[in-house]
Amino acid sequence: LIANRILNGMGWAIERAEFAYDIIDQICDSFSAPNLAPSTAVARLYLMNDILHNSGSGIPNVSLYQQGFTSKLPAVFEVYHKL
């Protein structure tokens, strides 16, 4: 069930790559949600991983994910470390 939701989220993000920076902001900002469950944080990391894995697929604008996530990852992992 969780894997399907991650797959669907990744597909949704890849199909909307022209909005990559907005999607990145939403995903990264979600790590600072109050009472974030560790399992939810792990699922979001998997989502980020899947998006990044597909950022070299040649789909227009999808490479923006790699650029955008790179600058945000240190802050995401700092929050994740505190969980």
Side-chain angles (χ1 to χ4, degrees):
L1 180 64
I2 298 296
N4 285 336
R5 292 177 70 185
I6 293 169
L7 176 65
N8 290 337
M10 185 270 305
W12 183 89
I14 296 298
E15 290 173 0
R16 291 158 181 82
E18 68 271 17
F19 304 106
Y21 290 112
D22 294 323
I23 293 168
I24 291 165
D25 286 343
Q26 289 296 315
I27 293 170
C28 293
D29 290 349
S30 73
F31 279 88
S32 45
N35 303 319
L36 178 66
S39 60
T40 301
V42 169
R44 290 174 184 170
L45 287 174
Y46 275 114
L47 174 61
M48 291 171 58
N49 177 70
D50 287 357
I51 293 170
L52 284 169
H53 178 76
N54 287 286
S55 67
S57 65
I59 295 171
N61 298 315
V62 79
S63 63
L64 296 174
Y65 283 111
Q66 188 173 19
Q67 297 167 354
F69 275 127
T70 299
S71 65
K72 301 261 185 178
L73 282 177
V76 166
F77 281 103
E78 186 175 317
V79 170
Y80 182 74
H81 179 71
K82 294 177 183 177
L83 292 177

